[in-house]
Amino acid sequence: MKRLHVHVAVDDLDRSVAFYSSLFAATPGVLKPDYAKWMLDDPRVNFAISARGGKADVEHLGIQVEDQAELAEVYGRIAKADAPVVEEGSTTCCYAKSEKSWVTDPQGVVWETFLTHGASTVYGTSATIDALTSTSACGCAS
């Protein structure tokens, strides 16, 4: 089953963790000095926040899949969209190892589609998200 992904850039991580923990009635499953992530089942969402010096705002949205078949299905859908697809492939970002692609909707909202393979001890980098959003959410130099 797929899961909606929302990544929000925040100014104050501690205050935001307290707010979202109350809102979701759950503590984050991943908590780092610059990042927090909740994997919620109700609603089914991967909700992440980061304080990495970018503008506080919705950073990007996405669809997280559980296996290669779902990834191929969603890749097929975005390939049919009337927008260029940026295939990033294997990468480390947001303390996770993933395979991902990116597309920007007609309003300029950036969407990622990804399959996570495991955890990482580092936040990682993604020149792709930096180029698409100019916010450095995944830790790259602007």
Side-chain angles (χ1 to χ4, degrees), residues 5-128:
H5 169 59
V6 178
H7 188 125
V8 176
V10 300
D11 291 325
D12 184 329
L13 190 77
D14 293 335
R15 187 171 174 216
S16 296
V17 165
F19 173 83
Y20 288 113
S21 292
S22 294
L23 180 66
F24 300 143
T27 57
V30 176
L31 183 59
K32 304 290 184 178
D34 57 353
Y35 178 83
K37 179 174 73 175
W38 291 259
M39 294 291 281
L40 304 169
D41 289 323
D42 184 18
R44 190 163 169 78
V45 65
N46 166 341
F47 186 86
I49 59 175
S50 62
R52 302 189 54 82
K55 178 184 170 217
D57 203 350
V58 173
E59 208 284 327
H60 65 271
L61 302 173
I63 300 171
Q64 181 177 11
V65 300
E66 291 185 351
D67 58 39
Q68 255 338 109
E70 285 185 347
L71 188 64
E73 174 193 339
V74 177
Y75 277 5
R77 285 192 232 151
I78 63 173
K80 292 177 184 176
D82 189 19
V85 177
V86 178
E87 295 182 21
E88 186 165 12
S90 296
T91 189
T92 298
C93 184
C94 302
Y95 297 99
K97 297 175 185 175
S98 303
E99 179 181 340
K100 60 179 70 180
S101 287
W102 301 87
V103 65
T104 304
D105 80 6
Q107 286 68 239
V109 176
V110 176
W111 283 81
E112 80 177 307
T113 301
F114 63 102
L115 171 63
T116 299
H117 300 291
S120 172
T121 58
V122 297
Y123 191 89
T125 60
S126 175
T128 303

